[in-house]
């Protein structure tokens, strides 16, 4: 038995870039039908899921809401939503 000695070394993995970090969590909706939307630093969408999950609670634990999503910086990212919904949304900026 040769214990694997003499076998060819596998090739190195090809380098690739990682996904950008999620910077903002926007929680929209009332308490029962809330949706959490994750955005990157350039405010491109990263994910969307139910805001009543433990993952969202862990993400925003200890982070104060920085305001709502009614500002002009959110116009492109939340273009399909009514201004009233954006005004009641809570925006959390995650620290990296």
């Amino acid at each position: 038995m040769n214990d694997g000695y003499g076998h060819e070394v596998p090739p190195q993995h090809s380098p690739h870039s990682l996904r950008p970090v999620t910077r903002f969590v926007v929680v929209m909706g009332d308490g029962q039908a809330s949706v959490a939307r994750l955005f990157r630093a350039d405010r491109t969408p990263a994910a969307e899921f139910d805001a009543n999950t433990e993952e969202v609670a862990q993400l925003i634990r200890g982070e104060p809401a920085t305001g709502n999503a009614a500002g002009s910086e959110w116009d492109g990212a939340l273009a399909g939503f009514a201004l009233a919904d954006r005004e009641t949304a809570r925006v959390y900026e995650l620290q990296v």
Side-chain angles (χ1 to χ4, degrees), residues 7-90:
H7 287 272
E8 182 180 357
V9 175
Q12 289 190 355
H13 297 286
S14 61
H16 62 284
S17 61
L18 300 175
R19 289 181 287 168
V21 176
T22 299
R23 178 62 64 140
F24 300 101
V25 177
V26 179
V27 179
M28 299 179 77
D30 59 5
Q32 293 181 341
S34 296
V35 175
R37 291 178 173 81
L38 294 139
F39 293 92
R40 296 180 182 97
D42 61 355
R43 290 182 171 76
T44 56
E48 176 180 321
F49 48 91
D50 182 12
N52 296 319
T53 61
E54 180 64 26
E55 289 82 7
V56 174
Q58 288 178 354
L59 276 174
I60 62 176
R61 181 177 297 140
E63 299 289 336
T66 58
N68 60 26
S72 61
E73 66 274 11
W74 292 103
D75 286 347
L78 299 172
F81 295 94
L83 184 59
D85 292 336
R86 291 174 50 187
E87 287 175 343
T88 60
R90 296 178 315 277

